[in-house]
């Protein structure tokens, strides 16, 4: 087995009639068996060839997770072309940079994304608007393990995204090594929560599942009520998630327990249950775990560091949490904690065939068959990424007893709690273009498990920072939203002799400012329930106004907004779908005739 097309063919033979992909879309449920998956992938490949897509051509996939996202991807592979996956929340500016670099022959996209792509001159097929005829299988293009399978773009600067080139062999090496450590099999029922444009989800929630003959379900929404219904119907045994998702789900459990006066009991039960085997713990917490379908056995966490207390809470209920570490450039997994010998606070041991070392300056470096071949049309960035044949991860860490422990980023990359990456220079560049701003420095500020984008603004006009931040957020990606800011108190930032900002001194100022700040509190009055819930979600008391945006003014990221919607549903009984709420949605409090929130 040398390519992902080989993987598809083998699974279609070994697991032909077994369920592969499932999604409930309104009253309709999409179900594809492994045989269906192969046949539809070939139907897509035939359609692509009719669109003059051939070997080596680039095909963009930009849309929400759904079974046909996976089908289309395999169809691209069968056609011998290259997938260019885009995060559904990508900004137009970022997409323009990707399109300019790759010159895609075709794109598959959601309705909103298709509008942008057509404006950029890219031929588009909209998901849901066509249904390729399933006929005889086509002859796959001639490819091998060295053939480029995907170009996944990360952004070093807003106008210059870098494309990570992953071959079929890179991806397969990671799949095979991962399956030797994590037990995914024919009886595994997975729930896909992360974007398929993210390699962590592709490897664990797609390619590994296909290799093992597992079944994967795609929820139609991440809104808590819809997600809970999906989990109760699907009864997943395995979830791939980033730490913020696990924190969000745990917060929901604890909020419900607190509402019934049982939070103290819940904490006591965790303590008492911890010494028992996992099977016994799951029986003890069966009433709670039933909200997740009652079969949840394993959670794989990646993308960012999980708070030990969150991991231990899940473990106490009998759900094993396995944390790993990797980068897109490594397709993506480098290390993982083996379930039988996992260590809290460590990101685990190297996968079979993977080597890691720590350089003299503390940087984690790695090599193996899964490591990428370089950045698309960017030899300088490729050369800078390697020390010989060792990939420079840019992370600081140490190895103890064969386990890797991370200490932080070597550079300034901000890793949000949901695993998304934010490059400070992207945000700084946008801020500098705003009226009243001379310069800006952006950091990731941590508050417990939460990490928020914080800007320190050097104003050219006193009082201009607030309007500048709001204006900048209007053009930034959802993940890049500036959730808090402060102004620099002097005429200029401290600088080196080459006029670069001395970031450590600015960061030290921020720490001092935070240490002297007044403690945060929640409004004591329950009269305005909605504003109280907004304050709780923001972890500060505002004050908040109806015109305040959930991103710039309240400071909520995507999962923070989902947590707010969950609290609103719990306390007010009002369902709001998460797809209708974004960073620029305002608090917009409406009232009933008696003055209560509506």
């Amino acid at each position: 087995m040398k390519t992902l097309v080989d993987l598809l063919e083998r699974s279609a033979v070994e697991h032909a009639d077994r369920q592969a992909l499932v999604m409930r879309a309104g009253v309709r449920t999409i179900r594809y068996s492994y045989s269906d998956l192969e046949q539809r992938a070939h139907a897509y490949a035939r359609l692509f060839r009719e669109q003059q897509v051939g070997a080596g051509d680039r095909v963009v996939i930009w849309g929400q997770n759904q079974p046909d996202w996976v089908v289309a991807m395999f169809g691209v592979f069968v056609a011998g072309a290259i997938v260019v996956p885009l995060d559904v929340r990508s900004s137009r500016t970022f997409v323009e940079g990707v399109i300019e670099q790759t010159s895609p022959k075709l794109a598959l996209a959601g309705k909103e994304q298709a509008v942008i792509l057509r404006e950029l001159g890219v031929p588009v097929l909209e998901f849901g608007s066509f249904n390729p005829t399933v006929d005889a299988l086509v002859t796959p293009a001639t490819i091998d393990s060295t053939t480029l399978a995907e170009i996944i773009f990360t952004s070093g600067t807003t106008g210059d995204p870098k494309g990570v080139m992953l071959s079929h062999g890179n991806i397969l090496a990671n799949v095979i090594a991962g399956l030797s450590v994590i037990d995914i099999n024919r009886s595994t029922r997975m729930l896909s929560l992360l974007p398929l444009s993210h390699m962590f989800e592709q490897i664990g929630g797609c390619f590994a599942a296909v290799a093992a003959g597992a079944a994967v379900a795609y929820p139609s929404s991440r809104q808590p009520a819809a997600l809970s219904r999906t989990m109760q119907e699907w009864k997943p045994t395995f979830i791939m998630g980033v730490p913020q998702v696990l924190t969000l789900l745990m917060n929901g459990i604890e909020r419900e327990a607190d509402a019934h006066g049982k939070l103290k009991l819940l904490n006591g039960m965790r303590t008492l249950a911890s010494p028992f085997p996992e099977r016994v713990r799951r029986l003890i917490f069966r009433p709670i775990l039933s909200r997740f379908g009652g079969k949840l056995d394993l959670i794989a966490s990646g993308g960012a560091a999980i708070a030990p207390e969150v991991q231990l809470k899940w473990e106490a209920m009998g759900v094993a949490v396995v944390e790993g570490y990797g980068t897109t450039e490594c397709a993506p997994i480098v290390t993982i904690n083996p379930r039988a010998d996992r260590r809290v606070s460590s990101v685990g041991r190297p996968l079979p065939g993977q080597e890691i070392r720590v350089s003299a300056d503390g940087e984690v470096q790695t090599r193996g068959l899964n490591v990428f071949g370089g950045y698309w049309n960017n030899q300088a960035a490729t050369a800078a990424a390697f020390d010989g044949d060792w990939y420079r991860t840019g992370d600081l860490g140490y190895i103890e007893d064969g386990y890797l422990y991370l200490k932080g980023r070597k550079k300034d990359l901000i890793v949000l709690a949901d695993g998304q990456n934010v490059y400070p220079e992207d945000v700084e560049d946008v801020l500098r273009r705003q009226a009243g701003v001379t310069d800006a420095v952006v950091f990731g500020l941590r508050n417990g498990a939460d990490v928020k984008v914080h800007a320190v603004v050097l104003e050219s006009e006193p009082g201009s920072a607030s309007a500048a931040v709001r204006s900048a957020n209007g053009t930034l990606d959802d993940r890049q939203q500036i959730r808090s800011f402060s102004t620099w108190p002097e005429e200029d930032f401290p600088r080196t002799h080459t006029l670069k900002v001395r970031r450590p001194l600015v960061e030290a100022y921020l720490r001092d400012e935070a240490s002297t700040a007044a403690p945060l509190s929640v409004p004591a009055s329950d009269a305005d329930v909605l504003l109280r819930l907004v304050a709780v979600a923001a972890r500060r008391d505002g004050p908040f106004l109806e015109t305040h945006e959930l991103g710039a003014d309240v400071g909520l990221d995507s999962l923070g907004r989902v947590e707010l919607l969950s609290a609103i549903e719990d306390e007010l009984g009002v369902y709001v779908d998460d797809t209708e709420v974004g960073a620029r949605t305002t608090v917009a409090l409406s009232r009933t005739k008696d003055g209560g929130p509506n």
Side-chain angles (χ1 to χ4, degrees):
M1 188 169 63
K2 297 181 179 180
T3 72
L4 294 167
V5 176
D6 296 336
L7 172 66
L8 175 66
E9 291 176 350
R10 192 188 72 173
S11 294
V13 172
E14 295 182 355
H15 314 294
D17 296 327
R18 294 188 62 82
Q19 192 165 239
L21 310 175
V22 180
M23 181 175 179
R24 180 187 289 271
V27 297
R28 175 169 164 259
T29 299
I30 301 169
R31 298 182 189 275
Y32 294 155
S33 67
Y34 276 94
S35 179
D36 294 333
L37 174 56
E38 182 186 38
Q39 291 176 3
R40 289 188 66 83
H42 280 252
Y44 268 77
R46 182 182 296 106
L47 176 62
F48 295 155
R49 288 175 177 173
E50 292 171 356
Q51 300 291 320
Q52 306 304 309
V53 174
D57 287 333
R58 276 74 65 194
V59 177
V60 166
I61 303 182
W62 190 18
Q64 299 283 357
N65 283 16
Q66 55 190 292
D68 272 55
W69 203 112
V70 177
V71 170
M73 177 169 60
F74 276 109
V76 174
F77 298 152
V78 173
I82 303 164
V83 172
V84 182
L86 292 175
D87 189 305
V88 73
R89 294 166 291 185
S90 295
S91 69
R92 182 187 179 109
T93 302
F94 179 82
V95 174
E96 286 176 351
V98 172
I99 299 304
E100 183 179 355
Q101 287 198 43
T102 59
S103 302
K105 185 67 76 69
L106 184 69
L108 291 97
K111 185 175 183 179
E112 294 180 7
Q113 293 76 28
V115 172
I116 296 174
L117 289 167
R118 289 192 182 101
E119 291 174 353
L120 296 177
V122 180
V124 184
L125 297 174
E126 283 186 32
F127 284 119
S129 67
F130 65 96
N131 188 24
T133 302
V134 177
D135 204 341
L137 301 184
V138 302
T139 302
T142 301
I143 59 176
D144 59 28
S145 63
T146 65
T147 302
L148 189 57
E150 299 192 52
I151 307 173
I152 301 180
F153 279 83
T154 60
S155 177
T157 61
T158 302
D160 185 28
K162 291 190 299 183
V164 177
M165 298 190 296
L166 295 175
S167 70
H168 286 260
N170 292 148
I171 297 171
L172 272 179
N174 211 234
V175 170
I176 294 169
L179 285 173
S180 70
V181 179
I182 300 298
D183 183 22
I184 300 175
N185 54 59
R186 287 161 59 100
S187 63
T188 300
R189 297 168 67 86
M190 304 186 74
L191 184 67
S192 178
L193 296 178
L194 305 178
L196 279 163
S197 56
H198 197 303
M199 276 309 299
F200 182 50
E201 179 63 28
Q202 278 194 33
I203 287 292
C206 178
F207 297 130
V210 170
V216 184
Y218 299 92
S220 58
S221 170
R222 289 190 310 172
Q223 204 281 333
L227 188 58
S228 178
R229 284 195 299 271
T230 299
M231 296 180 80
Q232 289 176 29
E233 292 173 0
W234 180 241
K235 295 178 173 47
T237 62
F238 184 22
I239 291 177
M240 301 271 294
V242 293
Q244 196 172 3
V245 170
L246 308 187
T247 300
L248 176 67
L249 295 175
M250 184 55 66
N251 286 348
I253 293 172
E254 294 182 340
R255 184 169 55 249
E256 183 176 334
D258 190 36
H260 291 86
K262 295 182 179 180
L263 183 57
K264 186 175 180 179
L265 174 63
L266 174 62
N267 292 331
M269 288 175 62
R270 286 175 179 149
T271 301
L272 291 172
S274 293
F276 291 101
E278 287 179 354
R279 177 179 54 81
V280 176
R281 278 178 266 156
R282 284 196 295 274
L283 287 174
I284 294 173
F285 288 94
R286 179 188 293 172
I288 294 176
L289 295 178
S290 64
R291 67 186 294 168
F292 306 114
K295 301 294 184 180
L296 187 58
D297 173 64
L298 179 65
I299 297 175
S301 177
I306 186 171
E309 60 271 19
V310 174
Q311 178 175 352
L312 292 173
K313 286 176 180 178
W314 283 103
E315 298 269 4
M317 296 194 303
V319 179
V321 177
V322 173
E323 185 175 15
Y325 160 75
T327 70
T328 301
E329 288 84 349
C330 295
I333 304 173
V334 175
T335 64
I336 201 161
N337 265 291
R339 179 169 183 171
D341 191 16
R342 55 195 183 277
R343 307 201 180 170
V344 175
S345 298
S346 167
V347 292
R349 298 196 301 235
L351 287 181
Q354 189 90 32
E355 296 178 75
I356 60 171
R357 73 179 185 184
V358 176
S359 65
D361 64 354
E363 183 185 37
V364 178
Q365 299 181 355
T366 184
R367 64 183 178 186
L369 294 176
N370 56 311
V371 177
F372 78 136
Y375 295 106
W376 177 256
N377 291 339
N378 196 333
Q379 293 182 356
T382 299
F386 286 91
D387 179 4
D389 61 346
W390 290 88
Y391 169 63
R392 305 175 187 265
T393 67
D395 292 300
L396 299 173
Y398 63 95
I399 300 170
E400 185 177 284
D401 194 25
Y403 284 74
L404 177 64
Y405 295 80
L406 297 179
K407 298 192 295 185
R409 301 296 298 178
K410 184 178 181 180
K411 296 184 179 179
D412 301 317
L413 177 67
I414 299 169
V415 181
L416 302 179
D418 65 357
Q420 299 259 21
N421 293 338
V422 177
Y423 288 81
E425 61 264 37
D426 288 352
V427 184
E428 291 164 359
D429 183 63
V430 173
L431 268 175
R432 293 186 190 109
R433 296 199 296 265
Q434 307 308 314
V437 176
T438 299
D439 205 350
V441 184
V442 171
F443 298 93
L445 290 188
R446 180 174 292 278
N447 179 15
D450 187 34
V451 178
K452 65 181 178 182
V453 176
H454 180 95
V456 183
V457 179
L458 184 64
E459 297 175 315
S460 60
E461 300 171 12
S464 61
S466 179
V469 167
R470 182 183 296 274
S471 177
N473 278 341
T475 61
L476 292 167
D477 280 1
D478 188 274
R479 67 181 184 278
Q480 296 172 313
Q481 294 290 300
I482 302 165
R483 293 170 55 199
S484 62
F485 72 93
S486 53
T487 56
W488 188 249
E490 300 173 11
E491 292 185 1
D492 196 6
F493 289 124
R495 298 180 184 274
T496 66
H497 68 282
T498 58
L499 299 183
K500 292 181 180 179
V501 176
R502 300 178 67 182
R503 298 177 65 93
L505 294 183
V506 179
E507 192 169 16
Y509 162 77
L510 281 182
R511 287 196 300 268
D512 292 341
E513 185 181 50
S515 66
T516 58
L520 302 180
S521 61
V522 176
S525 173
D526 286 347
D528 208 332
V529 179
L530 179 56
L531 290 181
R532 175 173 60 80
L533 295 178
V534 170
V536 171
R539 293 170 175 81
R540 59 189 177 92
D541 48 359
F544 298 112
L545 304 176
E546 295 180 15
T547 56
H548 281 174
E549 295 178 358
L550 296 182
D553 301 314
V554 179
L556 298 181
D557 62 8
S558 59
L559 287 177
R561 297 193 294 272
V562 172
E563 183 172 2
L564 171 62
L565 298 182
S566 178
I568 289 173
E569 184 176 5
D570 288 346
E571 295 210 22
L572 299 178
V574 177
Y575 172 90
V576 182
D577 194 280
D578 68 313
T579 60
E580 300 176 359
V581 177
R584 306 208 69 187
T585 301
T586 60
V587 173
L589 178 66
S590 61
R591 296 183 180 279
T592 59
K593 291 181 179 179
D594 64 2
N598 186 28

